[in-house]
Amino acid sequence: MLEGEEPEREESPGEGEEESEEPEEATEEEGEELGEEAGGAEGGGVVESEEYYRIMFPKGKEFRYVFTALANLLQETNFVIDTEGIKMKSIDPSKVSLIILNIPGSSLEEYSVTKELKVGISFDLVKKILKRIGARDKVELGVDMGKNKFFITIYTKKGKEGGFHRRFGIPIINIAEEEVPEPKLEYPVRVRMDMDAFLDIISAAGEISDSVKFVVDEDKFSIIAEGEGGKALETTYTSSDEVFYEYSVQGSHNSTYAIELLLDFVRPMRQVSDTVTIEFDNNKPLKLTMDFAIGSLQFYLAPRVA
């Protein structure tokens, strides 16, 4: 499933900067590229086909940051949207990480899906739309199978009753993805940790090295980074430290992982997840689970093998 060693990746622009929760305004050219149309209480605009399915997210914040985490690692993906909810399972282009998304329909404000839909989208355009979403906005996804289009509609916090909205239309694309089985791994390490503490340590390690080593036993958890010129960082917590909400470890274990992929994924999720559950074993994929208000994300990352 996940290959053993991570290739070098180019540095992401703005790495290390705090995410702004204020939406950005699209230029006229960007609005045209994104298929934007604005509307008011009187409606109008896009005419929906008979095969239009509506999904309303109660807060723009979850939609913005969860989809940003996906867009940071994936170029495109297929979403499976059925009567139970929204699901996604994709491997990143470098084939070293696997992301699994699950959003139950019952956790959403409106969910009118009555059959299974397979929706392929490119994140190139989605990333630009995400910046337009404010934390207190409401976001509606519309899947129009009759027109083969995927719509993202942004409302003010009052929702449809507030009148004004901005709607972006994206073509649904055909993506040939290999079937990805969900990993069946048993981990002797399961630690649920404060998200801020975890991200702060990984960010600090990233200033020293491009990889980080997790070393754990039944009494303590260490995160170690070693760089050039003798630079090193080691942070150690005891099992009873207040940063842990759960600490279950059998034996001693260690494994090394790429920092950049971790940061690309965890940074946006910090905005919507208070904790992260960390599972790993000697030279096995790292598994991170992040719950948020309306669903969960699982992130598997292949180990770096010396």
Side-chain angles (χ1 to χ4, degrees):
M1 174 193 69
L2 302 180
E3 296 176 3
E5 190 164 350
E6 161 111 13
E8 293 296 322
R9 300 172 75 238
E10 294 183 2
E11 187 175 11
S12 300
E15 187 164 337
E17 298 177 1
E18 281 294 317
E19 290 272 4
S20 170
E21 293 193 7
E22 292 301 315
E24 295 181 9
E25 291 298 323
T27 64
E28 184 176 344
E29 292 78 9
E30 287 175 325
E32 291 178 0
E33 178 191 9
L34 300 172
E36 179 181 8
E37 61 110 27
E42 298 303 317
V46 175
V47 177
E48 300 165 359
S49 78
E50 293 181 357
E51 286 191 272
Y52 192 94
Y53 301 92
R54 200 178 310 277
I55 301 166
M56 179 70 83
F57 286 73
K59 290 184 180 179
K61 186 173 184 177
E62 280 81 16
F63 182 87
R64 174 176 173 175
Y65 291 111
V66 170
F67 275 69
T68 296
L70 300 179
N72 282 350
L73 270 69
L74 302 172
Q75 295 174 351
E76 58 187 24
T77 193
N78 283 317
F79 288 94
V80 175
I81 304 175
D82 59 21
T83 56
E84 295 182 353
I86 302 170
K87 306 177 186 70
M88 186 221 71
K89 184 164 53 177
S90 289
I91 293 177
D92 80 288
S94 63
K95 298 187 183 298
V96 296
S97 67
L98 168 66
I99 305 102
I100 301 174
L101 169 71
N102 183 39
I103 300 178
S106 58
S107 68
L108 299 171
E109 190 168 296
E110 181 179 351
Y111 196 81
S112 68
V113 180
T114 56
K115 67 177 184 178
E116 182 174 295
L117 311 172
K118 188 174 183 180
V119 180
I121 66 167
S122 167
F123 282 110
D124 285 343
L125 292 177
V126 172
K127 282 192 285 190
K128 297 177 182 179
I129 297 171
L130 294 173
K131 296 177 182 179
R132 320 293 175 216
I133 300 172
R136 293 181 294 175
D137 290 341
K138 293 192 175 187
V139 176
E140 178 187 291
L141 294 189
V143 181
D144 196 327
M145 300 305 290
K147 294 187 174 182
N148 204 42
K149 293 194 78 172
F150 178 80
F151 293 95
I152 297 176
T153 305
I154 305 170
Y155 296 96
T156 62
K157 64 181 179 179
K158 293 182 180 179
K160 296 177 184 178
E161 293 75 17
F164 181 76
H165 70 266
R166 303 164 71 188
R167 175 180 282 186
F168 301 87
I170 304 170
I172 294 174
I173 59 176
N174 292 320
I175 303 172
E177 281 187 325
E178 59 182 289
E179 184 64 28
V180 182
E182 192 161 340
K184 302 295 183 183
L185 296 171
E186 296 290 333
Y187 290 101
V189 177
R190 179 181 170 88
V191 175
R192 189 161 70 94
M193 186 175 185
D194 178 81
M195 176 66 94
D196 286 342
F198 179 72
L199 180 55
D200 288 348
I201 297 167
I202 301 301
S203 296
E207 297 177 3
I208 292 172
S209 177
D210 63 355
S211 64
V212 63
K213 186 176 185 179
F214 294 168
V215 180
V216 67
D217 62 28
E218 294 173 5
D219 300 314
K220 61 183 181 297
F221 188 171
S222 298
I223 297 177
I224 303 168
E226 296 179 348
E228 297 179 354
K231 293 181 181 179
L233 172 69
E234 179 173 341
T235 304
T236 299
Y237 294 102
T238 62
S239 59
S240 59
D241 196 285
E242 62 183 8
V243 301
F244 297 124
Y245 296 89
E246 177 184 352
Y247 194 95
S248 175
V249 177
Q250 301 170 16
S252 300
H253 309 273
N254 70 84
S255 196
T256 302
Y257 304 97
I259 287 179
E260 186 176 0
L261 281 170
L262 275 173
L263 289 177
D264 283 348
F265 197 76
V266 175
R267 271 196 181 117
M269 290 305 297
R270 178 188 202 173
Q271 304 291 332
V272 293
S273 296
D274 294 329
T275 65
V276 54
T277 300
I278 306 162
E279 297 176 82
F280 72 96
D281 196 359
N282 299 323
N283 297 322
K284 287 186 178 180
L286 171 70
K287 177 184 178 183
L288 301 182
T289 301
M290 286 155 278
D291 296 323
F292 50 98
I294 56 173
S296 67
L297 267 176
Q298 292 181 350
F299 173 65
Y300 291 85
L301 179 62
R304 278 198 167 176
V305 180

